Amino acid sequence: MSPLSLPDTLPCPRRPSPASVPSLRWGVLGTGWIASRFVASLQASTTQQVVAVGSRSQRTADAFAAATGIERALGSADGLVAEADVDVVYVATPHHVHLASALTAIDAGKHVLVEKPLGLDALEADRISSAAAAAGVFCMEAMWSLFLPRFDVVRQVLGAGLLGDVRTVIADHGEHFSPPHRILDPAMAGGSLLDLGTYVTTLATWVLGPALTVRASGQMTASGVNGQAGMVLTHAGDATSVLHSTLLTRTPTSATIAGTSATLTLPGPFFQPGDVVVTSADGSRSVRWIDPEPIGHGALYHSALEVARCIGAGELSSPLHPSSSVLANLRALDEATRQVGVTYH
């Protein structure tokens, strides 16, 4: 592609509007940080209804319900999934109980949106996906980045071949955390890989396909979780991804997708709303899509819109993030985890 063949503008995103999808009745299982932001995002930007919350104790369920304006609070997962008017359960429990939480909802006949990672490893993720398929209910991992308008622009750029032969993905995700944050607790499957690394490996396997080889190294923290990891993955056609995650320091958290004709960059934080920039391979010309949505977790609602769209259409999985994609990501993470010397069970 010559510099002059870059388009004057990048494609407009094709994500559904809040009014274009069915209004589902949601039950939220879990009362932590991500659950509160998910509920706030739905309440502020959609017609989705959050009708109930479930927690390990009645006290925490009551407190969450009072803080978020949810009508019903249940002191157990079983209580939440027994609510007849709950259409779909958002599983926002800690990583190490995603499997049990999701299976509880699926066994009750509920559709599920499960926070990332879907399971601690590919085996758990496959158990959840298979159980949902057998029960005839919808199941999706809440990898919210893939449902953002920003990522639909990327999807269209890749689909149109504007980058040429895509050879390289470079991505980084680093944030600093201090005790007593959950991410530092090995008993809760903490560490940089499952929380932060999953974003970079998801991007790499989404763009380049499953990893054929994984090379990883990293360091542990004093608390016994992975503090930092560097990964080099190879993919079909000798494409390469160079990836990094850390919970020790704040890093640029940007991403690059490079092809023979042009390079696409996602200024950090790459996994949140933000601009898309495509630059010709010789660097002489750039075109930019400017995201009108502010950076932040207020955009979590886009994943809920995809759930509602799919369920309304009678689909049991999202074509944007099917179980095969989840498994490709987790298999790469599993191998990185093994090489770094981390165990979650």
Side-chain angles (χ1 to χ4, degrees), residues 81 86-89 102-112 135-138:
V81 302
V86 169
D87 300 315
V88 55
V89 172
L103 292 181
T104 296
I106 291 167
D107 288 346
K110 304 298 185 184
H111 303 297
V112 290
V137 298
F138 178 86

Side-chain angles (χ1 to χ4, degrees), residues 19 32 56 59-60 85 89 94 97 106 132 136 158 160 162 166 175 191 224 241 270 283 286 301 308 323 327 329 344:
R56 291 172 294 176
R59 178 185 60 81
T60 55
D85 64 343
V89 172
V97 288
I106 291 167
L158 294 173
L162 294 183
V166 178
E175 300 181 43
S241 54
F270 78 85
S286 291
Y301 72 90
S323 61
L327 292 176
N329 171 54
Y344 298 119

Side-chain angles (χ1 to χ4, degrees), residues 191-202:
S192 81
L193 280 167
L194 281 183
D195 268 280
L196 311 180
T198 189
Y199 283 108
V200 297
T201 53
T202 291

Side-chain angles (χ1 to χ4, degrees), residues 4-26:
L4 294 179
S5 64
L6 278 183
D8 292 330
T9 60
L10 294 181
C12 293
R14 306 162 298 185
R15 302 306 303 133
S17 69
S20 70
V21 301
S23 180
L24 302 180
R25 297 166 299 186
W26 291 75

